[in-house]
Amino acid sequence: MKTWKKLRKNPKLWDQYFVREKVIKSIRAFFERQGFHEVETPLLIANPPAESYLDVFETTLFDRHRNSTKAYLSTSPEVPLKKLMVAGLGNCYAITKSFRNMETQSKLHNPEFTILEWYRVGANYVDIMNDCEELLRSMIQSIFYQGNRIDIASGWERLSVAKAFSKWAQVDFDEFLKNAITIALKKGYRVEPKTTWEQLYNQIFLNEIEPHLGFGKPTILYDFPAVMGALAKKNGRDPRFAERFELYIAGLELGDCYSELTDWKEQEERFKKELQELKRLGKTEYDYDHDFIEALKVGLPTSSGIAVGVDRLVMLFADVPDIADTIFFPTGELFDAK
């Protein structure tokens, strides 16, 4: 049944959908107190960030003479915000729509979604961990989600990826970095000729680790393998890892943070490798954003930032198991002929 029909039939459902209003108002109030600038970023762009794990929406832009140019729907506001930081904007955030293809038929994804992204100058990923705790505590003290009580007010769990693999998958991560295929096969996972290291990682992570994260209290999972941080600074103590963390509550991934990479040469090289991977995987091919590299040459200030899924926050606060129950017009409903 279409959402508008459900709302008309059962007016009590309005309260569930109005949780979104409260969440967004609270986010804006928090960043206003922090002195951040809110920025509107473009939805139609010429070059998506080169990240091979994402599938993009491609379209065609015509000028008045019907000359065509390839265009894409934005996968995140990250690059425009960073360009403005190079220009001297300072601490900033955006609440905007983003688009990622191949994300239908899931209770946790919608191809068109609302994202909160913020950047703090002079910060690293530990500072953003603290921001996350302060933001959520300013909104709520505890959550009851699908029968699980999550304590927001008390100390959060902070756990490295390596420790998480050891704790729940009984895998030594140093060994996994070198012999992922052997370990995955012993565990019974499928390994094919084109299976990448990242895909092997994801099989173990999604099945054996992620379901345990964020119960009782939020979990911050940090220090991801460097190969999985395309725009992240490498860890100074161990360059095999990136200064990246993800935030989990009740098994839901809510946010993805980096200490931002500022070296333009390394960033350009990573983009080129990601484009090669896009081609290998048979995904939509596009060029990387050369203007962003030019901005990095001018100098991105030391900073850290995070992207948070607003729809998933609404899921938690409204205590609903399906992201479609937080959106007035979910994509699957719009393209359902019934």
Side-chain angles (χ1 to χ4, degrees), residues 26 114 185 191 219 225 236 248 251 253 272:
S26 296
T114 302
L185 286 171
V191 179
T219 297
Y248 284 85
E253 180 206 337
K272 289 178 178 178

Side-chain angles (χ1 to χ4, degrees), residues 33-63:
R33 292 193 299 271
Q34 295 277 329
F36 279 58
H37 294 284
E38 182 175 4
V39 176
E40 288 189 354
T41 55
L43 300 185
L44 189 66
I45 59 176
N47 306 95
E51 296 175 289
S52 60
Y53 70 95
L54 297 179
D55 290 89
V56 301
F57 285 93
E58 181 180 338
T59 186
T60 304
L61 180 67
F62 292 100
D63 66 15

Side-chain angles (χ1 to χ4, degrees), residues 175-247:
E175 184 66 22
F176 187 74
L177 287 169
K178 296 178 289 187
N179 298 306
I181 292 176
T182 301
I183 291 172
L185 286 171
K186 284 183 179 179
K187 283 180 163 287
Y189 291 106
R190 176 180 291 184
V191 179
E192 298 177 347
K194 288 188 176 182
T195 301
T196 65
W197 185 93
E198 187 172 344
Q199 288 170 327
L200 297 174
Y201 169 96
N202 284 331
Q203 287 188 74
I204 294 176
F205 180 78
L206 295 175
N207 285 289
E208 301 184 45
I209 296 169
E210 189 175 64
H212 299 283
L213 301 176
F215 288 93
K217 56 186 174 181
T219 297
I220 289 175
L221 189 70
Y222 66 89
D223 284 358
F224 280 70
V227 70
M228 299 178 67
L231 288 89
K233 179 181 178 181
K234 289 182 180 178
N235 190 306
R237 300 183 305 276
D238 190 339
R240 297 176 303 168
F241 297 93
E243 291 191 358
R244 173 188 175 190
F245 77 79
E246 290 183 346
L247 167 62

Side-chain angles (χ1 to χ4, degrees), residues 71-203:
Y72 306 87
L73 295 180
S74 174
T75 55
S76 88
E78 177 172 2
V79 168
L81 288 173
K82 287 182 176 179
K83 289 178 182 178
L84 292 176
M85 290 167 66
V86 169
L89 177 64
N91 296 343
C92 55
Y93 77 101
I95 300 173
T96 187
K97 291 290 187 180
S98 290
F99 303 84
R100 298 178 184 179
N101 218 335
M102 299 286 291
E103 295 200 351
T104 56
Q105 299 172 313
S106 167
K107 290 186 175 182
L108 300 180
H109 297 89
N110 194 64
E112 175 186 353
F113 62 99
T114 302
I115 192 170
L116 160 66
E117 195 150 329
W118 78 84
Y119 291 88
R120 184 180 287 278
V121 175
N124 62 22
Y125 68 152
V126 176
D127 297 302
I128 304 300
M129 293 179 193
N130 298 333
D131 276 351
C132 288
E133 294 197 27
E134 290 179 23
L135 172 62
L136 286 185
R137 286 172 183 160
S138 74
M139 298 167 71
I140 199 166
Q141 295 299 299
S142 65
I143 298 170
F144 287 90
Y145 182 70
Q146 302 298 290
N148 299 288
R149 182 182 182 275
I150 313 298
D151 182 7
I152 304 296
S154 301
W156 292 16
E157 178 181 39
R158 298 188 182 187
L159 187 69
S160 71
V161 167
K163 288 183 179 178
F165 265 69
S166 175
K167 181 176 182 178
W168 287 300
Q170 292 75 54
V171 169
D172 180 283
F173 205 75
D174 287 338
E175 184 66 22
F176 187 74
L177 287 169
K178 296 178 289 187
N179 298 306
I181 292 176
T182 301
I183 291 172
L185 286 171
K186 284 183 179 179
K187 283 180 163 287
Y189 291 106
R190 176 180 291 184
V191 179
E192 298 177 347
K194 288 188 176 182
T195 301
T196 65
W197 185 93
E198 187 172 344
Q199 288 170 327
L200 297 174
Y201 169 96
N202 284 331
Q203 287 188 74

Side-chain angles (χ1 to χ4, degrees), residues 266-335:
E266 184 175 352
Q267 184 64 84
E268 187 171 45
E269 184 61 31
R270 291 193 198 182
F271 277 167
K272 289 178 178 178
K273 288 180 179 178
E274 288 293 307
L275 296 183
Q276 291 173 357
E277 185 66 5
L278 283 171
K279 185 175 183 178
R280 189 189 74 83
L281 294 171
K283 294 186 176 184
T284 301
E285 295 181 46
Y286 50 84
D287 198 6
Y288 64 90
D289 189 336
H290 292 260
D291 184 57
F292 178 48
I293 299 300
E294 289 301 309
L296 291 182
K297 289 180 181 179
V298 173
L300 178 68
T302 299
S303 55
S304 185
I306 187 170
V308 173
V310 173
D311 309 292
R312 291 190 183 182
L313 271 182
V314 176
M315 283 178 66
L316 285 171
F317 293 168
D319 192 12
V320 294
D322 194 327
I323 202 167
D325 293 329
T326 72
I327 303 169
F328 284 130
F329 299 98
T331 301
E333 181 180 292
L334 292 174
F335 291 88

